[in-house]
Amino acid sequence: MEIAILLFDRFTALDAIGPYEVLSRIPNASVKFVAKQAGSVRSDQGSLAIIADYSLDEVPSPDILVVPGGPGQSALMEDEPILNWIRRAHETSTWTTSVCTGSLLLGAAGLLKGVKATSHWLADGVLSQLGAEPTAERVVIEGKIITAAGVSAGIDMALKLVALECGETWAQSIQLGIEYDPQPPFDAGSPSKAPTEIVERLRSRSRFFMQ
Amino acid sequence: MEIAILLFDRFTALDAIGPYEVLSRIPNASVKFVAKQAGSVRSDQGSLAIIADYSLDEVPSPDILVVPGGPGQSALMEDEPILNWIRRAHETSTWTTSVCTGSLLLGAAGLLKGVKATSHWLADGVLSQLGAEPTAERVVIEGKIITAAGVSAGIDMALKLVALECGETWAQSIQLGIEYDPQPPFDAGSPSKAPTEIVERLRSRSRFFMQ
């Protein structure tokens, strides 16, 4: 099973690596990190570079497509090589997935018209503009399109995908293997739960918008 | 604040990137990925390479040290350049941390004698052999040493560390920024919760041991 994870300048690391850590443990998974050009790609914080072993042309039809988000997404909303690659991969994929503002790239590629979808909580307005039906759910499965909420939600998304594709026993085995028994120190991981002043501060300095 | 994340062949990706995604958002954080030699380092699944921008010698005294685990840990249990680097960094660090079997490297460096610590659930026997006092807790704080359980526990660990170092408001801001409101599809993330047959299957094919 070929799994392509898209990389681009200023992607958010955990958006990509959360699903990677889960999906790479699928039996016979062949995960390929893909970018416009093969080579190193810097994440949003600048201090991490991951190597894209493949260029877009080399992985035209993955079984599973994972599109992460991050501040760099906004520069790609009219990037035809990237958007065309997403469109073509989606034609033959078994699953087309996104994490965080990766869903805005699916939307820009025209895949989310009238489709219920999610994104980082700061980006739901943009999802609407792209014709999607935003929801605050953490993982949204609509046909073969699965969108996940911000950053860490890709782990939950990938475990659900494994359950659908390989069965619950495999998903539970992987969950136990990565000891995913989360115990966040605070109950502040969504705008409905975090202190209002923190929500408003993040909203006011939000870097999530469509250019 | 200088934060060093150690990389080595066959590290587990999420062990490193979970804490990275949290700690890199600390104000004035300067995160440095460090390996024996600067350059690309492959993770345990083989399909991911991260670039270590720095060699060990270039980052001798980070404020925060993060040692991830992974199958490659077992080859380093007598690796003096790595163990010496850990020992020396620990002498001046503010926090010395590990995720998953990274704690076995802290132990091999002699830092855990008589210290309560955790690791991947499959590795607690080895922790004992190294003189530590294993516990099933997800995050263990003992003085300036913080150990986290398997793979995904590094996210919880890092959020606790941010709360200690920068205050709860910062920790909650980062938690909301990465939308860490986990909703695992199963309650199977620890050996006390997963179905017994899955626990036993993973135990029987465990790759976690000390050579």
Side-chain angles (χ1 to χ4, degrees), chain B residues 10 19 25 42-43 46 48 55 61 68-69 72 75 85 98-99 111 115 123-125 136 141 159 175-176 183 188 201:
Chain B
R10 303 182 70 221
R25 294 166 187 247
R42 288 262 155 201
S43 78
L48 170 69
S55 65
S61 50
W85 180 78
S98 66
V99 181
L111 307 189
V115 174
D124 58 353
I141 303 172
L159 285 169
Q175 184 179 351
L176 180 60
Q183 294 170 23
R201 192 179 320 132

Side-chain angles (χ1 to χ4, degrees), chain A residues 33-53:
Chain A
F33 284 92
V34 179
K36 248 182 178 174
Q37 287 90 32
S40 74
V41 183
R42 289 263 154 198
S43 77
D44 50 5
Q45 308 287 335
S47 44
L48 170 69
I50 291 181
I51 294 177
D53 287 322

Side-chain angles (χ1 to χ4, degrees), chain B residues 55-183:
Chain B
S55 65
L56 299 176
D57 293 344
E58 293 177 291
V59 190
S61 50
D63 299 297
I64 299 176
L65 167 62
V66 180
V67 179
Q73 152 272 325
S74 60
L76 301 179
M77 295 296 281
E78 297 179 351
D79 187 307
E80 285 304 318
I82 293 277
L83 300 181
N84 271 330
W85 180 78
I86 291 174
R87 281 180 202 114
R88 286 176 188 169
H90 179 63
E91 284 175 12
T92 54
S93 69
T94 306
W95 301 101
T96 298
T97 77
S98 66
V99 181
C100 196
T101 55
S103 59
L104 305 184
L105 294 176
L106 299 190
L111 307 189
L112 297 183
K113 290 201 172 29
V115 174
K116 209 174 82 166
T118 192
S119 189
H120 193 281
W121 61 275
L122 284 165
D124 58 353
V126 185
L127 260 188
S128 293
Q129 294 169 32
L130 294 166
E133 296 176 19
T135 148
E137 288 170 47
R138 190 159 173 85
V139 177
V140 178
I141 303 172
E142 286 276 283
K144 73 175 189 180
I145 297 179
I146 313 184
T147 52
V151 193
S152 60
I155 301 171
D156 297 326
M157 181 275 285
L159 285 169
K160 283 200 176 185
L161 196 166
V162 173
L164 289 166
E165 182 63 30
C166 311
E168 295 196 354
T169 298
W170 261 107
Q172 291 176 330
S173 294
I174 293 173
Q175 184 179 351
L176 180 60
I178 66 168
E179 211 163 339
Y180 187 47
D181 180 30
Q183 294 170 23

Side-chain angles (χ1 to χ4, degrees), chain A residues 59-142:
Chain A
V59 190
S61 50
D63 299 299
I64 298 177
L65 167 62
V66 179
V67 179
Q73 152 272 323
S74 61
L76 302 178
M77 295 296 281
E78 296 180 351
D79 187 307
E80 285 304 318
I82 293 277
L83 300 181
N84 271 330
W85 180 78
I86 291 173
R87 283 182 201 113
R88 286 176 188 166
H90 179 64
E91 284 175 11
T92 54
S93 69
T94 306
W95 301 101
T96 298
T97 77
S98 67
V99 181
C100 196
T101 55
S103 59
L104 305 184
L105 293 176
L106 299 190
L111 308 189
L112 297 184
K113 291 204 171 25
V115 174
K116 210 174 81 166
T118 191
S119 189
H120 192 284
W121 62 274
L122 284 165
D124 58 353
V126 186
L127 259 188
S128 293
Q129 294 169 30
L130 295 166
E133 297 176 20
T135 147
E137 287 171 47
R138 191 158 172 84
V139 177
V140 178
I141 303 173
E142 286 276 285

